[in-house]
Amino acid sequence: CKDVEKLGVEIKQSEERFHAKIYYLKLDEEEVCVQGSVNLTKTSFCENEENMMILWEKAQVSDIIKNLERELS
């Protein structure tokens, strides 16, 4: 954590628990990865405080899928 702090990133402890997920969505040739704590529920999108990152650049999506396949094999 000290290396991260040198970059000026502040790390705070939270009482909330985030359970990170990765969603892979594909329609025809378009691919998207959504990574974060968000669940696919109304409560998650409308009431909870969540974080997420959406990746749609082909190289990034491809790297995530390759890494997941390697980790799960």
Side-chain angles (χ1 to χ4, degrees):
C1 284
K2 295 208 184 283
D3 291 336
V4 173
E5 291 170 355
K6 288 179 188 176
L7 297 172
V9 175
E10 185 177 345
I11 300 173
K12 294 183 177 184
Q13 292 288 332
S14 172
E15 296 299 318
E16 300 293 322
R17 297 278 180 172
F18 294 104
H19 300 282
K21 299 146 193 87
I22 296 176
Y23 298 104
Y24 171 73
L25 309 166
K26 183 174 181 177
L27 178 63
D28 298 324
E29 295 302 313
E30 296 296 321
E31 298 174 299
V32 173
C33 279
V34 178
Q35 182 178 9
S37 64
V38 67
N39 292 314
L40 298 179
T41 64
K42 179 181 176 184
T43 302
S44 187
F45 280 98
C46 299
E47 297 174 22
N48 293 350
E49 189 172 313
E50 304 282 353
N51 65 21
M52 81 170 115
M53 177 172 52
I54 301 172
L55 304 166
W56 58 85
E57 194 172 300
K58 286 191 181 287
Q60 291 175 319
V61 173
S62 178
D63 286 346
I64 290 171
I65 299 305
K66 286 177 188 173
N67 287 332
L68 284 172
E69 287 174 342
R70 185 172 47 242
E71 290 293 321
L72 296 173
S73 64

